[in-house]
mmCIF file of all heavy atoms in Angstrom:
data_model
loop_
_atom_site.group_PDB
_atom_site.id
_atom_site.type_symbol
_atom_site.label_atom_id
_atom_site.label_comp_id
_atom_site.label_asym_id
_atom_site.label_seq_id
_atom_site.Cartn_x
_atom_site.Cartn_y
_atom_site.Cartn_z
ATOM 1 N N GLU A 1 10.569 7.766 24.120
ATOM 2 C CA GLU A 1 11.358 7.463 25.318
ATOM 3 C C GLU A 1 12.569 6.626 24.926
ATOM 4 O O GLU A 1 12.433 5.526 24.385
ATOM 5 C CB GLU A 1 10.492 6.734 26.348
ATOM 6 C CG GLU A 1 9.311 7.580 26.829
ATOM 7 C CD GLU A 1 8.566 6.966 27.986
ATOM 8 O OE1 GLU A 1 9.228 6.525 28.951
ATOM 9 O OE2 GLU A 1 7.331 6.916 27.922
ATOM 10 N N LYS A 2 13.757 7.150 25.211
ATOM 11 C CA LYS A 2 15.017 6.489 24.854
ATOM 12 C C LYS A 2 15.927 6.441 26.074
ATOM 13 O O LYS A 2 15.790 7.233 27.010
ATOM 14 C CB LYS A 2 15.717 7.247 23.716
ATOM 15 C CG LYS A 2 14.913 7.367 22.435
ATOM 16 C CD LYS A 2 15.707 8.136 21.382
ATOM 17 C CE LYS A 2 14.935 8.267 20.079
ATOM 18 N NZ LYS A 2 13.740 9.122 20.229
ATOM 19 N N ASP A 3 16.870 5.517 26.052
ATOM 20 C CA ASP A 3 17.856 5.458 27.135
ATOM 21 C C ASP A 3 19.011 6.409 26.810
ATOM 22 O O ASP A 3 18.987 7.127 25.803
ATOM 23 C CB ASP A 3 18.349 4.022 27.351
ATOM 24 C CG ASP A 3 19.064 3.450 26.130
ATOM 25 O OD1 ASP A 3 19.502 4.229 25.254
ATOM 26 O OD2 ASP A 3 19.193 2.212 26.056
ATOM 27 N N ALA A 4 20.036 6.397 27.652
ATOM 28 C CA ALA A 4 21.151 7.339 27.508
ATOM 29 C C ALA A 4 21.906 7.154 26.192
ATOM 30 O O ALA A 4 22.488 8.102 25.661
ATOM 31 C CB ALA A 4 22.121 7.182 28.687
ATOM 32 N N GLU A 5 21.887 5.922 25.657
ATOM 33 C CA GLU A 5 22.580 5.645 24.392
ATOM 34 C C GLU A 5 21.695 5.902 23.177
ATOM 35 O O GLU A 5 22.115 5.693 22.032
ATOM 36 C CB GLU A 5 23.072 4.188 24.361
ATOM 37 C CG GLU A 5 24.273 3.902 25.271
ATOM 38 C CD GLU A 5 23.858 3.836 26.730
ATOM 39 O OE1 GLU A 5 22.733 3.350 26.996
ATOM 40 O OE2 GLU A 5 24.643 4.290 27.588
ATOM 41 N N GLY A 6 20.459 6.333 23.407
ATOM 42 C CA GLY A 6 19.576 6.628 22.297
ATOM 43 C C GLY A 6 18.766 5.452 21.799
ATOM 44 O O GLY A 6 18.124 5.533 20.747
ATOM 45 N N HIS A 7 18.783 4.340 22.542
ATOM 46 C CA HIS A 7 17.997 3.178 22.151
ATOM 47 C C HIS A 7 16.544 3.358 22.607
ATOM 48 O O HIS A 7 16.279 3.889 23.687
ATOM 49 C CB HIS A 7 18.573 1.898 22.774
ATOM 50 C CG HIS A 7 19.987 1.627 22.360
ATOM 51 N ND1 HIS A 7 21.005 1.449 23.269
ATOM 52 C CD2 HIS A 7 20.560 1.529 21.140
ATOM 53 C CE1 HIS A 7 22.135 1.233 22.639
ATOM 54 N NE2 HIS A 7 21.886 1.288 21.338
ATOM 55 N N TYR A 8 15.621 2.881 21.801
ATOM 56 C CA TYR A 8 14.212 3.007 22.137
ATOM 57 C C TYR A 8 13.865 2.118 23.332
ATOM 58 O O TYR A 8 14.191 0.933 23.363
ATOM 59 C CB TYR A 8 13.339 2.613 20.945
ATOM 60 C CG TYR A 8 13.552 3.468 19.725
ATOM 61 C CD1 TYR A 8 14.166 2.956 18.592
ATOM 62 C CD2 TYR A 8 13.155 4.797 19.713
ATOM 63 C CE1 TYR A 8 14.384 3.746 17.469
ATOM 64 C CE2 TYR A 8 13.369 5.600 18.599
ATOM 65 C CZ TYR A 8 13.986 5.064 17.482
ATOM 66 O OH TYR A 8 14.196 5.852 16.383
ATOM 67 N N LEU A 9 13.202 2.697 24.333
ATOM 68 C CA LEU A 9 12.803 1.926 25.508
ATOM 69 C C LEU A 9 11.541 1.113 25.248
ATOM 70 O O LEU A 9 11.367 0.025 25.794
ATOM 71 C CB LEU A 9 12.580 2.871 26.691
ATOM 72 C CG LEU A 9 13.831 3.559 27.259
ATOM 73 C CD1 LEU A 9 13.435 4.562 28.336
ATOM 74 C CD2 LEU A 9 14.803 2.526 27.821
ATOM 75 N N ASP A 10 10.653 1.650 24.431
ATOM 76 C CA ASP A 10 9.365 1.001 24.175
ATOM 77 C C ASP A 10 9.545 -0.101 23.143
ATOM 78 O O ASP A 10 9.820 0.162 21.974
ATOM 79 C CB ASP A 10 8.355 2.042 23.679
ATOM 80 C CG ASP A 10 6.924 1.539 23.735
ATOM 81 O OD1 ASP A 10 6.709 0.317 23.620
ATOM 82 O OD2 ASP A 10 6.016 2.383 23.883
ATOM 83 N N VAL A 11 9.382 -1.351 23.568
ATOM 84 C CA VAL A 11 9.578 -2.478 22.665
ATOM 85 C C VAL A 11 8.599 -2.445 21.502
ATOM 86 O O VAL A 11 8.875 -2.984 20.426
ATOM 87 C CB VAL A 11 9.457 -3.811 23.432
ATOM 88 C CG1 VAL A 11 8.014 -4.046 23.879
ATOM 89 C CG2 VAL A 11 9.930 -4.984 22.582
ATOM 90 N N ARG A 12 7.469 -1.778 21.687
ATOM 91 C CA ARG A 12 6.466 -1.732 20.629
ATOM 92 C C ARG A 12 6.907 -0.878 19.454
ATOM 93 O O ARG A 12 6.355 -0.981 18.356
ATOM 94 C CB ARG A 12 5.143 -1.195 21.196
ATOM 95 C CG ARG A 12 4.541 -2.095 22.259
ATOM 96 C CD ARG A 12 3.416 -1.410 23.001
ATOM 97 N NE ARG A 12 3.844 -0.217 23.710
ATOM 98 C CZ ARG A 12 3.063 0.481 24.535
ATOM 99 N NH1 ARG A 12 1.818 0.088 24.740
ATOM 100 N NH2 ARG A 12 3.522 1.560 25.147
ATOM 101 N N CYS A 13 7.911 -0.046 19.670
ATOM 102 C CA CYS A 13 8.370 0.855 18.608
ATOM 103 C C CYS A 13 8.865 0.070 17.398
ATOM 104 O O CYS A 13 8.271 0.112 16.316
ATOM 105 C CB CYS A 13 9.464 1.770 19.144
ATOM 106 S SG CYS A 13 10.086 2.951 17.939
ATOM 107 N N LEU A 14 9.948 -0.673 17.568
ATOM 108 C CA LEU A 14 10.547 -1.386 16.442
ATOM 109 C C LEU A 14 9.773 -2.647 16.082
ATOM 110 O O LEU A 14 10.042 -3.249 15.033
ATOM 111 C CB LEU A 14 11.999 -1.720 16.750
ATOM 112 C CG LEU A 14 12.918 -0.508 16.945
ATOM 113 C CD1 LEU A 14 14.350 -0.947 17.230
ATOM 114 C CD2 LEU A 14 12.884 0.409 15.733
ATOM 115 N N ALA A 15 8.841 -3.069 16.927
ATOM 116 C CA ALA A 15 8.003 -4.216 16.586
ATOM 117 C C ALA A 15 6.748 -3.791 15.824
ATOM 118 O O ALA A 15 6.003 -4.640 15.344
ATOM 119 C CB ALA A 15 7.599 -4.965 17.855
ATOM 120 N N THR A 16 6.523 -2.488 15.718
ATOM 121 C CA THR A 16 5.347 -1.968 15.018
ATOM 122 C C THR A 16 5.711 -1.360 13.677
ATOM 123 O O THR A 16 5.023 -1.556 12.679
ATOM 124 C CB THR A 16 4.633 -0.912 15.887
ATOM 125 O OG1 THR A 16 4.217 -1.511 17.116
ATOM 126 C CG2 THR A 16 3.419 -0.347 15.162
ATOM 127 N N THR A 17 6.803 -0.617 13.642
ATOM 128 C CA THR A 17 7.175 0.090 12.417
ATOM 129 C C THR A 17 8.646 -0.126 12.094
ATOM 130 O O THR A 17 9.478 -0.226 12.999
ATOM 131 C CB THR A 17 6.883 1.594 12.528
ATOM 132 O OG1 THR A 17 7.144 2.231 11.290
ATOM 133 C CG2 THR A 17 7.707 2.234 13.619
ATOM 134 N N LYS A 18 8.949 -0.228 10.821
ATOM 135 C CA LYS A 18 10.328 -0.370 10.359
ATOM 136 C C LYS A 18 10.881 1.007 10.044
ATOM 137 O O LYS A 18 10.330 1.728 9.211
ATOM 138 C CB LYS A 18 10.374 -1.246 9.103
ATOM 139 C CG LYS A 18 11.734 -1.305 8.414
ATOM 140 C CD LYS A 18 12.755 -2.055 9.247
ATOM 141 C CE LYS A 18 14.082 -2.157 8.496
ATOM 142 N NZ LYS A 18 15.113 -2.837 9.288
ATOM 143 N N PHE A 19 11.965 1.387 10.709
ATOM 144 C CA PHE A 19 12.587 2.677 10.455
ATOM 145 C C PHE A 19 13.551 2.537 9.280
ATOM 146 O O PHE A 19 14.527 1.801 9.341
ATOM 147 C CB PHE A 19 13.328 3.175 11.700
ATOM 148 C CG PHE A 19 12.411 3.678 12.773
ATOM 149 C CD1 PHE A 19 11.034 3.579 12.648
ATOM 150 C CD2 PHE A 19 12.920 4.258 13.918
ATOM 151 C CE1 PHE A 19 10.192 4.053 13.635
ATOM 152 C CE2 PHE A 19 12.076 4.730 14.924
ATOM 153 C CZ PHE A 19 10.708 4.622 14.772
ATOM 154 N N VAL A 20 13.252 3.252 8.224
ATOM 155 C CA VAL A 20 14.058 3.182 7.016
ATOM 156 C C VAL A 20 15.436 3.786 7.277
ATOM 157 O O VAL A 20 15.553 4.856 7.856
ATOM 158 C CB VAL A 20 13.356 3.924 5.861
ATOM 159 C CG1 VAL A 20 14.249 3.938 4.625
ATOM 160 C CG2 VAL A 20 12.027 3.270 5.538
ATOM 161 N N ASN A 21 16.452 3.101 6.834
ATOM 162 C CA ASN A 21 17.822 3.604 6.945
ATOM 163 C C ASN A 21 18.088 4.554 5.779
ATOM 164 O O ASN A 21 18.431 4.136 4.676
ATOM 165 C CB ASN A 21 18.808 2.436 6.926
ATOM 166 C CG ASN A 21 20.238 2.896 7.110
ATOM 167 O OD1 ASN A 21 20.527 4.095 7.145
ATOM 168 N ND2 ASN A 21 21.154 1.945 7.240
ATOM 169 N N LYS A 22 17.914 5.830 6.011
ATOM 170 C CA LYS A 22 18.042 6.803 4.923
ATOM 171 C C LYS A 22 19.488 6.986 4.469
ATOM 172 O O LYS A 22 19.748 7.553 3.417
ATOM 173 C CB LYS A 22 17.435 8.140 5.359
ATOM 174 C CG LYS A 22 15.933 8.041 5.620
ATOM 175 C CD LYS A 22 15.366 9.379 6.049
ATOM 176 C CE LYS A 22 13.843 9.297 6.219
ATOM 177 N NZ LYS A 22 13.444 8.377 7.269
ATOM 178 N N ASP A 23 20.454 6.500 5.283
ATOM 179 C CA ASP A 23 21.847 6.573 4.876
ATOM 180 C C ASP A 23 22.227 5.434 3.925
ATOM 181 O O ASP A 23 23.307 5.435 3.346
ATOM 182 C CB ASP A 23 22.762 6.535 6.106
ATOM 183 C CG ASP A 23 22.562 7.754 7.002
ATOM 184 O OD1 ASP A 23 22.271 8.838 6.443
ATOM 185 O OD2 ASP A 23 22.687 7.611 8.226
ATOM 186 N N ASN A 24 21.333 4.464 3.816
ATOM 187 C CA ASN A 24 21.590 3.330 2.932
ATOM 188 C C ASN A 24 20.361 3.113 2.057
ATOM 189 O O ASN A 24 19.558 2.229 2.305
ATOM 190 C CB ASN A 24 21.899 2.071 3.751
ATOM 191 C CG ASN A 24 22.247 0.881 2.862
ATOM 192 O OD1 ASN A 24 22.367 1.015 1.651
ATOM 193 N ND2 ASN A 24 22.404 -0.285 3.483
ATOM 194 N N PRO A 25 20.190 3.938 1.034
ATOM 195 C CA PRO A 25 18.977 3.886 0.225
ATOM 196 C C PRO A 25 18.789 2.565 -0.496
ATOM 197 O O PRO A 25 17.686 2.251 -0.942
ATOM 198 C CB PRO A 25 19.169 5.043 -0.763
ATOM 199 C CG PRO A 25 20.646 5.267 -0.817
ATOM 200 C CD PRO A 25 21.138 4.949 0.554
ATOM 201 N N ASN A 26 19.855 1.771 -0.630
ATOM 202 C CA ASN A 26 19.718 0.485 -1.310
ATOM 203 C C ASN A 26 19.094 -0.588 -0.413
ATOM 204 O O ASN A 26 18.769 -1.671 -0.876
ATOM 205 C CB ASN A 26 21.091 -0.008 -1.800
ATOM 206 C CG ASN A 26 21.653 0.885 -2.881
ATOM 207 O OD1 ASN A 26 20.916 1.379 -3.725
ATOM 208 N ND2 ASN A 26 22.963 1.108 -2.844
ATOM 209 N N GLN A 27 18.971 -0.265 0.862
ATOM 210 C CA GLN A 27 18.395 -1.243 1.782
ATOM 211 C C GLN A 27 16.948 -1.533 1.416
ATOM 212 O O GLN A 27 16.500 -2.668 1.443
ATOM 213 C CB GLN A 27 18.474 -0.735 3.228
ATOM 214 C CG GLN A 27 17.907 -1.724 4.255
ATOM 215 C CD GLN A 27 17.898 -1.129 5.656
ATOM 216 O OE1 GLN A 27 17.830 0.083 5.823
ATOM 217 N NE2 GLN A 27 17.970 -1.976 6.661
ATOM 218 N N ILE A 28 16.196 -0.502 1.080
ATOM 219 C CA ILE A 28 14.795 -0.657 0.717
ATOM 220 C C ILE A 28 14.493 0.252 -0.455
ATOM 221 O O ILE A 28 14.832 1.440 -0.431
ATOM 222 C CB ILE A 28 13.865 -0.303 1.894
ATOM 223 C CG1 ILE A 28 14.102 -1.254 3.070
ATOM 224 C CG2 ILE A 28 12.399 -0.354 1.470
ATOM 225 C CD1 ILE A 28 13.357 -0.859 4.308
ATOM 226 N N THR A 29 13.885 -0.298 -1.483
ATOM 227 C CA THR A 29 13.468 0.505 -2.624
ATOM 228 C C THR A 29 11.997 0.835 -2.463
ATOM 229 O O THR A 29 11.150 -0.052 -2.413
ATOM 230 C CB THR A 29 13.672 -0.272 -3.938
ATOM 231 O OG1 THR A 29 15.046 -0.649 -4.028
ATOM 232 C CG2 THR A 29 13.306 0.586 -5.133
ATOM 233 N N ARG A 30 11.689 2.113 -2.352
ATOM 234 C CA ARG A 30 10.315 2.519 -2.121
ATOM 235 C C ARG A 30 10.083 3.888 -2.748
ATOM 236 O O ARG A 30 11.007 4.547 -3.220
ATOM 237 C CB ARG A 30 9.974 2.530 -0.633
ATOM 238 C CG ARG A 30 10.831 3.492 0.195
ATOM 239 C CD ARG A 30 10.422 3.481 1.656
ATOM 240 N NE ARG A 30 9.210 4.243 1.867
ATOM 241 C CZ ARG A 30 8.021 3.711 2.028
ATOM 242 N NH1 ARG A 30 7.852 2.432 1.962
ATOM 243 N NH2 ARG A 30 6.966 4.464 2.240
ATOM 244 N N TYR A 31 8.843 4.309 -2.743
ATOM 245 C CA TYR A 31 8.512 5.579 -3.362
ATOM 246 C C TYR A 31 8.965 6.763 -2.530
ATOM 247 O O TYR A 31 9.254 7.815 -3.051
ATOM 248 C CB TYR A 31 6.994 5.666 -3.579
ATOM 249 C CG TYR A 31 6.469 4.638 -4.545
ATOM 250 C CD1 TYR A 31 5.547 3.693 -4.138
ATOM 251 C CD2 TYR A 31 6.891 4.613 -5.865
ATOM 252 C CE1 TYR A 31 5.050 2.753 -5.018
ATOM 253 C CE2 TYR A 31 6.402 3.670 -6.752
ATOM 254 C CZ TYR A 31 5.486 2.739 -6.328
ATOM 255 O OH TYR A 31 5.002 1.818 -7.195
ATOM 256 N N SER A 32 8.955 6.607 -1.217
ATOM 257 C CA SER A 32 9.295 7.728 -0.351
ATOM 258 C C SER A 32 10.168 7.241 0.791
ATOM 259 O O SER A 32 10.473 6.066 0.903
ATOM 260 C CB SER A 32 8.021 8.384 0.208
ATOM 261 O OG SER A 32 7.427 7.533 1.169
ATOM 262 N N GLY A 33 10.532 8.134 1.673
ATOM 263 C CA GLY A 33 11.377 7.762 2.793
ATOM 264 C C GLY A 33 10.609 7.506 4.067
ATOM 265 O O GLY A 33 11.179 7.456 5.134
#
């Protein structure tokens, strides 16, 4: 569920999981995406 601008409505979304920024691979070094 997102608003018109594409922001997540459910606060539990970003408070539960970190969405990897795949456009900036240097942000997080990990085995997978």
Side-chain angles (χ1 to χ4, degrees):
E1 298 188 47
K2 301 180 180 67
D3 62 19
E5 287 75 35
H7 300 125
Y8 299 110
L9 292 175
D10 195 331
V11 69
R12 296 168 298 187
C13 181
L14 297 181
T16 300
T17 185
K18 172 69 177 178
F19 285 5
V20 176
N21 183 354
K22 296 180 176 63
D23 296 327
N24 183 6
N26 294 322
Q27 181 185 27
I28 298 173
T29 303
R30 61 179 283 102
Y31 296 119
S32 72

